[in-house]
Amino acid sequence: MYKHIPLLINATPDGCVAIFSTSHSRGQWSVGSEMDGLWGRYKVYRQDYGGLEEYLILGRTLKEVVRSYADLVGYPKLVPRWAFGYIAGGMKYSMLDQPRASDALVEFADKLKKHDIPCSAFQLSSGYTVAEAEPKTRNVFTWSKHRFPDPQGFVREYHRRGIRLIANVKPYVLESHPEYQKLRDAGALFRDPRTSQSAVTRLWSAGGGESAEEGYIDFTSAAGFRWWYDGIKALRKVGIDCVWNDNNEYTVPDDEWRCALDGGVLEKADLLDCQHSCTIGLWGRALQTELMAKCSYDALVALEPARRPFVLTRSATAGTMRYAASSWSGDNVTSWQGMKGANALSLNAGMSLLQIYGHDIGGFEGPQPSPELLVRWVQLGIFSPRFAINCYKTSPADNSVGDVIEPWMYPEVTHIIRAAIKRRYELLPYIYSLALESHLTASPAQRWVGWGYEDDPNVWEDTLLRGEEQYWFGDNLLIGGVYEAGVKTSRMYLPKTSCEDDGWSSGFVNLNKPHQHLEAGQWVAIDSQWTDNIPILARVGGAIPVGRDVQTVSGAENRETCPDLPEDDRRGVEIFPPEKSWPGRTYRNTWYEDDGISARPNIAKFTLSYSSREETVAVELEIELNGYELRWKNLSIILPVRETRMVVGKDGRELSRSPDSRGRPVFVLDIARETKSG
C-alpha cells in the first residue's frame, strides 16, 4: 500500500523472470486480465508519461532474481538495532490537552515498566505539532507549547526509560502554518500554471476526516529542500531518534502542476528544457517521495556522519530505500481478514526490497480488537521484521483524540502479550542477523513458503501461492497463524527439498506442545490454542541465536542516551537436531552481529556446526570478528523440549548442563576454549 515500485516477478518451477520499469510517472500493470486472439492472455504495463525504460531480470530462483534487482537499485539499508524491538504508538497520547500530552506519554512509559513489557521506541504522532490557537491544525516542524512545554526535557525522560522517539513529519504546510507565506514567496511549493501562483489543494488538517487548504513542499526546489533539511536537523538536535516521513504519497490533483527543478537535487536536470518538461505528471509524484526521503536522510547524516540514520516512510519508490530503510503497510483496519492478508503484503514488500517492514498490530483504524484477535495478532507480529502497535481509533465521542490499543487493555490476556513481546526481544539476535543478511545479500527476512524450495511441486498450490497463511521467517522458522475467531488448529504445509529424497530426512520440530518432530513434504494440523501460541515450527538442522528477553543497549550506543539499559552480553543458540543419529551429516548455520548503530559497522560472522549421534550432539563454533568487540563470554546451547542427549564440544568433552524455565536442556559452551577464531 502507498508504494510505487513497478516490479513484476513471474515465478515458476522452471525459473523466474522479472520486469522493472524505472519511471516515477504513474503507471499500472494489467496481469492476465487482457487477451489477444494470437497470444492469449498477456501482461502489459501502461505508463502515463515519459519514455519507457524497462529491465528484464532472469534467475533460476526468486533469491537470484531479488539479488539481481538489488544489484540494479541498491541493497537495503541498515537501521539501528533497537528498531527491531517493540515500537509503541497511538495518536491519542499526543492529542491530549488535559492531561497534557507529554505527561500522558510519560505515564504510558511508566505503565510499560509496571507491566514488565519491554519497549524500544514510541511513534510520536503529529499531535505534537498542533497549533494552540484555532484552527488548531498540524504544523510540521513546530511544537505545541501547551502539550510539550519542554521538548528536550520530554525526550530526556523517554530516553531515561530506555525508549527512543520517532517523530511524525508531513510534507505539506497548511495556509495557517506560520511559515506558509515565507515558503510560498521563496518558491518552495508547487506552482499552478493556471493561476501562476503556488498550487493549493486540500489535505488532512486536524481531526478524523477534517481538511484544509495547503501547499505541498516541492523537493526539486532549492528553497523547499533546504527548509525541510533544516527542520529535520532541528528535530534531531532536540533529541528525536528517528524521522517518520508520513502522508508522503503526494496525492496531487493536477498533472500540470509545475516543479521548480532549481535545487541541483536532480542530476542533469539543468540539461532539460524545463519550460516544457517540469510538470509533476512527467516527473512523477513518486519522485517527491524519494527526494523527501533523501532530504531527511541527508540532514541526519550531516549531523552525525558516523551514526546510521533512521528514516521511517509510509510511501516509497524503488530508490527510496537507499535513504528510508523501514516502512509499513499503512492505515489497516482491525479485522481477522486484515491480519491474514497482511502476510501477503509482507512477502511482496520483501521481494521489492522493503525488508524492514510490518503492520500496525491490532489495526490502525476500525473497532478495537477483541482479546483473542489482539493476542493472535501480537503472536504473529513478533515474527516480522518490524513490530509496532500504533493506531488512531476514530471515536464518536472525540474526533480529534480517538482511542488506542495498549498491551494491557485486557487484563485477562496481558500475561500472554507480555510473554510474546519478551520472546520478540529474546529473538532479536536472530532477527537482527536477518537484517544484516538482507543488507549483504538482499534476501528478505519474511519469505514465501517456496523460497528455497522451488523444486517441491506442492509449494505451487494456490493456497500457498497466495502467501496469506504461512511463511518462512529466515531459513529456520516456519510461521503459521490462526485467522478466524474460535479456531484452535492450523493447517500447514511443510516444504521438502530434493536432497531429502536422497535420504537426508530433516523435517520440523513443533516449538509448542506437544513438541513433536514432523516429516517434511506433508500437510499437518497443528494444535493452536489462542491462550498458548500460533504454530511455530523450527527446521531440523537449523539454529536460532537468542539473547536477553529485555531491551539492551548495543555496543557502540551512547550510554548517556539510555543509561539504565542492561548490556547485550548474553547469547544462546537454540538448535534442532534430528531425533536419531545421522553419521556423516553436519548442520552448519551462520549468523551475523555488529555494534547496532555505526554507519559503517564491523560485521562479525558466527558459524555453529553440529552433528547428531545416538547419545550426544556434537557442536563447534567458528568466529570471524572482523574488528567487532564481542560482549559475551559463553554461549548457551539450547536443545528442544523432550531432548535427552548430552552436548559435547569439539574435543568430545561433555558441556555442563542445566534446564531452563521452559524445560529445555541448556549446555554452556566456553567461547575461549571451544571456538575457532578467524
Side-chain angles (χ1 to χ4, degrees):
M1 295 167 69
Y2 309 106
K3 312 299 189 286
H4 176 87
I5 302 177
L7 171 70
L8 182 70
I9 303 176
N10 182 25
T12 75
D14 300 317
C16 304
V17 60
I19 307 174
F20 171 62
S21 175
T22 62
S23 175
H24 289 92
S25 175
R26 279 186 310 202
Q28 62 180 12
W29 279 105
S30 175
V31 182
S33 60
E34 301 181 31
M35 187 169 65
D36 178 84
L38 179 61
W39 301 105
R41 296 191 180 277
Y42 60 91
K43 306 173 185 69
V44 60
Y45 181 69
R46 293 186 176 90
Q47 186 176 293
D48 288 1
Y49 294 92
L52 188 63
E53 179 183 72
E54 292 193 336
Y55 288 82
L56 286 176
I57 305 170
L58 304 178
R60 175 68 184 86
T61 63
L62 281 169
K63 183 176 183 177
E64 291 178 9
V65 166
V66 171
R67 181 153 190 169
S68 294
Y69 173 62
D71 288 338
L72 179 64
V73 303
Y75 283 66
K77 286 282 186 185
L78 290 174
V79 300
R81 189 177 186 272
W82 57 258
F84 295 93
Y86 162 42
I87 298 176
M91 191 173 296
K92 173 182 178 178
Y93 306 109
S94 66
M95 291 297 294
L96 292 172
D97 290 313
Q98 190 61 40
R100 70 176 70 196
S102 54
D103 295 335
L105 282 164
V106 170
E107 182 183 3
F108 172 82
D110 289 340
K111 285 182 179 178
L112 287 164
K113 184 175 182 179
K114 174 186 174 183
H115 289 283
D116 190 24
I117 294 176
C119 178
S120 294
F122 187 91
Q123 292 190 191
L124 185 61
S125 296
S126 56
Y128 79 95
T129 70
V130 170
E132 296 166 64
E134 294 296 341
K136 291 192 174 182
T137 53
R138 301 167 197 276
N139 297 321
V140 65
F141 298 138
T142 69
W143 285 86
S144 169
K145 291 302 182 182
H146 169 69
R147 295 175 181 176
F148 296 87
D150 179 10
Q152 286 181 308
F154 164 71
V155 172
R156 281 195 300 271
E157 285 299 308
Y158 252 60
H159 285 170
R160 189 169 66 83
R161 290 161 174 80
I163 304 173
R164 282 78 168 187
L165 285 163
I166 302 171
N168 184 285
V169 289
K170 305 181 189 299
Y172 55 81
V173 287
L174 300 161
E175 290 186 332
S176 57
H177 193 289
E179 298 199 40
Y180 175 78
Q181 192 61 46
K182 167 190 166 183
L183 291 166
R184 181 174 177 170
D185 294 343
L189 312 177
F190 294 105
R191 185 170 59 85
D192 188 339
R194 294 172 177 79
T195 63
S196 297
Q197 301 291 325
S198 292
V200 176
T201 188
R202 296 191 70 86
L203 282 174
W204 184 42
S205 60
E210 296 179 14
S211 67
E213 292 191 338
E214 56 74 42
Y216 269 116
I217 302 296
D218 174 11
F219 282 94
T220 73
S221 72
F225 195 93
R226 186 71 207 190
W227 182 77
W228 190 268
Y229 180 91
D230 290 341
I232 297 297
K233 289 177 74 173
L235 282 175
R236 181 66 190 121
K237 288 176 181 177
V238 168
I240 294 298
D241 302 279
C242 168
V243 174
W244 171 9
N245 285 4
D246 199 16
N247 300 88
N248 54 341
E249 300 79 33
Y250 273 76
T251 52
V252 171
D254 191 340
D255 286 354
E256 294 301 313
W257 280 13
R258 299 300 200 259
C259 304
L261 301 175
D262 68 353
V265 177
L266 301 175
E267 295 181 14
K268 301 181 181 178
D270 56 328
L271 303 179
L272 299 172
D273 182 358
C274 296
Q275 196 74 23
H276 303 289
S277 59
C278 60
T279 66
I280 193 170
L282 174 64
W283 284 90
R285 292 157 177 78
L287 174 64
Q288 297 290 332
T289 301
E290 187 168 324
L291 291 178
M292 178 188 180
K294 182 182 188 314
C295 190
S296 296
Y297 173 90
D298 287 355
L300 295 175
V301 170
L303 282 175
E304 297 172 292
R307 180 189 182 99
R308 69 185 69 157
F310 184 13
V311 181
L312 172 67
T313 184
R314 186 165 94 169
S315 186
T317 67
T320 300
M321 304 318 284
R322 292 176 293 174
Y323 314 112
S326 184
S327 187
W328 79 106
S329 58
D331 295 352
N332 59 347
V333 176
T334 301
S335 70
W336 288 91
Q337 189 62 34
M339 177 178 66
K340 177 181 178 180
N343 291 332
L345 290 177
S346 292
L347 301 183
N348 276 312
M351 288 184 281
S352 302
L353 302 183
L354 306 176
Q355 295 185 354
I356 304 172
Y357 184 88
H359 314 280
D360 287 336
I361 303 299
F364 182 81
E365 251 290 10
Q368 287 285 22
S370 67
E372 182 183 3
L373 177 55
L374 179 59
V375 165
R376 288 296 196 194
W377 215 326
V378 170
Q379 290 170 339
L380 184 68
I382 66 168
F383 297 101
S384 63
R386 170 179 159 81
F387 175 66
I389 301 175
N390 180 54
C391 68
Y392 176 40
K393 300 293 187 184
T394 304
S395 169
D398 191 335
N399 189 46
S400 296
V401 175
D403 210 347
V404 292
I405 297 172
E406 294 175 328
W408 50 82
M409 63 189 293
Y410 300 119
E412 67 272 24
V413 299
T414 299
H415 66 288
I416 303 174
I417 291 173
R418 179 192 303 113
I421 294 175
K422 281 181 168 286
R423 177 59 173 166
R424 169 75 178 197
Y425 277 88
E426 195 174 40
L427 287 168
L428 279 189
Y430 180 66
I431 297 169
Y432 187 64
S433 177
L434 293 177
L436 287 167
E437 182 184 347
S438 161
H439 174 66
L440 296 170
T441 70
S443 290
Q446 204 163 334
R447 306 165 186 171
W448 171 55
V449 69
W451 181 283
Y453 294 82
E454 288 89 349
D455 54 359
D456 182 343
N458 294 312
V459 302
W460 300 98
E461 293 184 10
D462 286 346
T463 299
L464 297 175
L465 283 172
R466 283 196 292 270
E468 294 183 335
E469 298 184 13
Q470 66 179 85
Y471 57 86
W472 283 105
F473 194 48
D475 287 334
N476 295 323
L477 290 177
L478 189 63
I479 309 301
V482 177
Y483 307 103
E484 294 181 55
V487 174
K488 299 178 181 179
T489 60
S490 177
R491 186 169 178 264
M492 294 181 67
Y493 179 71
L494 313 184
K496 183 177 182 179
T497 62
S498 58
C499 66
E500 292 178 86
D501 294 327
D502 297 329
W504 294 115
S505 179
S506 294
F508 295 83
V509 178
N510 186 355
L511 297 191
N512 301 313
K513 295 177 182 178
H515 303 288
Q516 76 273 38
H517 280 249
L518 299 161
E519 287 296 318
Q522 63 170 330
W523 286 91
V524 294
I526 304 294
D527 183 60
S528 305
Q529 304 289 330
W530 72 274
T531 51
D532 294 330
N533 214 331
I534 59 169
I536 307 164
L537 306 181
R539 181 180 62 83
V540 168
I544 307 294
V546 294
R548 290 176 178 262
D549 66 358
V550 297
Q551 190 190 356
T552 59
V553 64
S554 300
E557 287 188 273
N558 187 345
R559 293 294 305 182
E560 295 178 4
T561 301
C562 298
D564 296 331
L565 291 180
E567 292 283 343
D568 178 34
D569 58 1
R570 295 182 190 171
R571 199 65 81 240
V573 179
E574 298 174 1
I575 63 173
F576 313 99
E579 286 186 288
K580 54 187 178 179
S581 175
W582 285 98
R585 173 63 161 164
T586 299
Y587 300 97
R588 292 172 60 86
N589 290 266
T590 295
W591 81 92
Y592 303 94
E593 302 201 18
D594 69 6
D595 64 21
I597 201 71
S598 297
R600 295 174 179 82
N602 298 317
I603 299 177
K605 180 179 178 182
F606 303 84
T607 300
L608 184 76
S609 303
Y610 65 91
S611 56
S612 177
R613 301 167 189 170
E614 207 64 49
E615 297 182 354
T616 60
V617 176
V619 300
E620 186 172 331
L621 180 67
E622 299 175 42
I623 299 178
E624 298 175 30
L625 289 176
N626 300 318
Y628 170 72
E629 181 183 350
L630 192 63
R631 292 179 176 264
W632 34 276
K633 305 303 181 185
N634 298 310
L635 182 70
S636 296
I637 306 297
I638 306 167
L639 294 182
V641 174
R642 298 172 54 185
E643 180 64 71
T644 60
R645 285 173 287 188
M646 294 295 295
V647 172
V648 299
K650 63 182 180 181
D651 58 0
R653 184 181 60 87
E654 290 186 355
L655 305 184
S656 61
R657 171 179 177 166
S658 62
D660 70 1
S661 60
R662 300 172 207 168
R664 303 175 302 177
V666 179
F667 301 82
V668 179
L669 185 79
D670 183 283
I671 297 298
R673 178 187 177 101
E674 297 285 351
T675 61
K676 292 181 181 179
S677 296

